[in-house]
């Protein structure tokens, strides 16, 4: 089977990583839906830390102390194998260490998410992409798209935890255009698994109150304030998901919130839309 056909055949699985209703990844896996714990088994409610100013922009003195407190607390919880709620440039998300298999399982349980739906990986720098993926596009293209409201799907490297999305050779990469998330990924020092902060198949969240039912199952909630315009349906579309796993081609798996600007960049570098694209 050609690499192009193999990769296109896996796009339905990758699409599930961003909440699309594609169903299980392949006919051989029925998928087990992991229900969140019952309220009677909930742990004490998560600690809530509010970022000073706008979380999307690095806080300056004298507010820096609050920023540093939230950053240290989040890193400590992630290193302990906990699940943390975080703001991004598109939606609120749930993050955990991608290298901790137990934490990955906890994310699926909190969301009630099917095990056949993969998780995206959040990194802090474009240079980190080369460690965790086999990159088949120019570096300038990556730097034009990242950081930004996009998820770039590429072939994963052996550096990633084998228990992270074990059913697909592809992985979706995020570097949010959000100062706190970039600081968090860089200080944490490893890949973060990232998914939206909501129960599976329910609406995504633009503020921390919208996923308050999940707080009892989280160790920490970072409040970066409202994201986007809560009255606009476009604000809940999430990142634009682009398949870059086939050399010379791109596939739009999900149009998301940044389709036009993303297409302009892809066309600038001469990439052609694949037959499997949703365009």
């Amino acid at each position: 089977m050609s690499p192009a056909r193999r990769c296109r055949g896996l796009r339905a699985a990758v699409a599930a990583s961003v909440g699309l209703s594609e169903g299980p990844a392949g006919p051989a896996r029925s998928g087990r839906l992991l229900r969140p714990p019952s309220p009677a088994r909930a742990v004490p409610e998560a600690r809530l830390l509010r970022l000073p100013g706008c979380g999307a922009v690095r806080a300056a003195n004298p507010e820096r102390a609050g920023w540093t407190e939230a950053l240290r607390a989040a890193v400590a919880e992630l290193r302990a194998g906990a699940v943390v709620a975080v703001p991004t440039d598109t939606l609120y998300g749930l993050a955990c260490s991608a290298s901790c298999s137990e934490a990955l399982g906890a994310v699926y349980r909190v969301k009630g998410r099917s095990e056949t739906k993969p998780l995206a990986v959040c990194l802090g720098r474009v240079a980190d992409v080369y460690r965790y993926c086999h990159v088949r596009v120019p570096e300038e293209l990556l730097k034009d798209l990242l950081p930004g409201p996009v998820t770039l799907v590429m072939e994963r490297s052996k550096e990633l935890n084998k228990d992270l999305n074990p059913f697909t050779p592809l992985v979706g990469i995020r570097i949010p255009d959000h100062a706190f998330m970039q600081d968090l990924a860089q200080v944490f020092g490893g890949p973060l698994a990232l998914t939206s902060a909501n129960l599976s198949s329910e609406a995504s969240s633009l503020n921390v109150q919208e996923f308050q039912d999940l707080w009892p199952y989280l160790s920490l909630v970072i409040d970066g304030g409202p994201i986007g315009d809560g009255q606009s349906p476009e604000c809940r579309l999430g990142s634009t998901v682009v398949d870059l796993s086939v050399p010379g081609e791109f596939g739009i798996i999900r149009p998301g919130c940044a389709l036009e600007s993303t297409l302009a960049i892809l066309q600038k570098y001469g990439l052609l839309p694949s037959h499997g694209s949703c365009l």
Side-chain angles (χ1 to χ4, degrees):
M1 182 181 295
S2 70
R5 180 173 296 179
R6 174 176 58 84
C7 290
R8 280 195 291 269
L10 288 161
R11 281 180 183 143
V14 178
S17 71
V18 290
L20 300 182
S21 55
E22 296 282 341
R29 296 177 61 91
S30 60
R32 181 163 61 93
L33 187 64
L34 297 178
R35 300 291 182 187
S38 64
R41 296 170 56 196
V43 297
E45 198 161 276
R47 180 184 180 193
L48 176 68
L49 290 178
R50 292 182 173 85
L51 294 177
C54 173
V57 180
R58 284 181 182 84
N61 289 330
E63 295 179 321
R64 185 70 191 182
W67 183 280
T68 303
E69 178 191 3
L71 187 62
R72 287 176 175 172
V75 170
E77 294 293 347
L78 291 166
R79 288 178 176 169
V83 180
V84 175
V86 292
T88 75
D89 54 349
T90 56
L91 307 167
Y92 271 86
L94 301 180
C96 74
S97 170
S99 301
C100 178
S101 300
E102 292 79 7
L104 296 174
V107 169
Y108 281 99
R109 289 191 296 274
V110 168
K111 283 182 63 76
R113 187 178 179 87
S114 169
E115 290 178 304
T116 59
K117 291 186 176 182
L119 304 173
V121 166
C122 177
L123 302 174
R125 305 179 181 88
V126 171
D128 297 332
V129 177
Y130 291 86
R131 178 177 179 183
Y132 299 107
C133 295
H134 298 292
V135 180
R136 297 187 173 92
V137 295
E139 182 179 8
E140 293 77 11
L141 171 58
L142 289 187
K143 290 182 176 179
D144 278 353
L145 291 171
L146 300 173
V150 295
T151 300
L152 303 183
V153 177
M154 291 174 276
E155 185 178 352
R156 62 188 286 164
S157 77
K158 293 182 179 180
E159 290 288 326
L160 286 173
N161 179 4
K162 62 181 178 59
D163 290 331
L164 173 73
N165 312 333
F167 42 83
T168 173
L170 304 181
V171 66
I173 297 295
R174 284 276 278 133
I175 303 181
D177 188 13
H178 191 283
F180 182 80
M181 283 305 298
Q182 291 178 40
D183 282 359
L184 179 61
Q186 291 173 21
V187 175
F188 179 72
L192 296 173
L194 185 65
T195 185
S196 56
N198 55 278
L199 286 174
S200 186
S201 300
E202 293 192 1
S204 51
S205 302
L206 298 177
N207 62 68
V208 295
Q209 285 74 34
E210 290 184 343
F211 61 94
Q212 197 163 0
D213 287 349
L214 300 184
W215 288 15
Y217 314 110
L218 306 174
S219 293
L220 180 66
V221 175
I222 301 295
D223 185 356
I227 298 173
D229 178 7
Q231 303 303 313
S232 171
E234 288 77 14
C235 287
R236 298 185 190 272
L237 294 177
S239 62
T240 296
V241 185
V242 186
D243 186 345
L244 296 177
S245 61
V246 180
E249 295 184 3
F250 72 86
I252 300 298
I253 296 174
R254 180 177 71 182
C257 64
L259 179 61
E260 290 187 10
S261 59
T262 301
L263 286 176
I265 293 172
L266 295 170
Q267 292 165 359
K268 169 184 172 182
Y269 288 91
L271 272 66
L272 300 174
S274 68
H275 295 299
S277 175
C278 72
L279 292 181

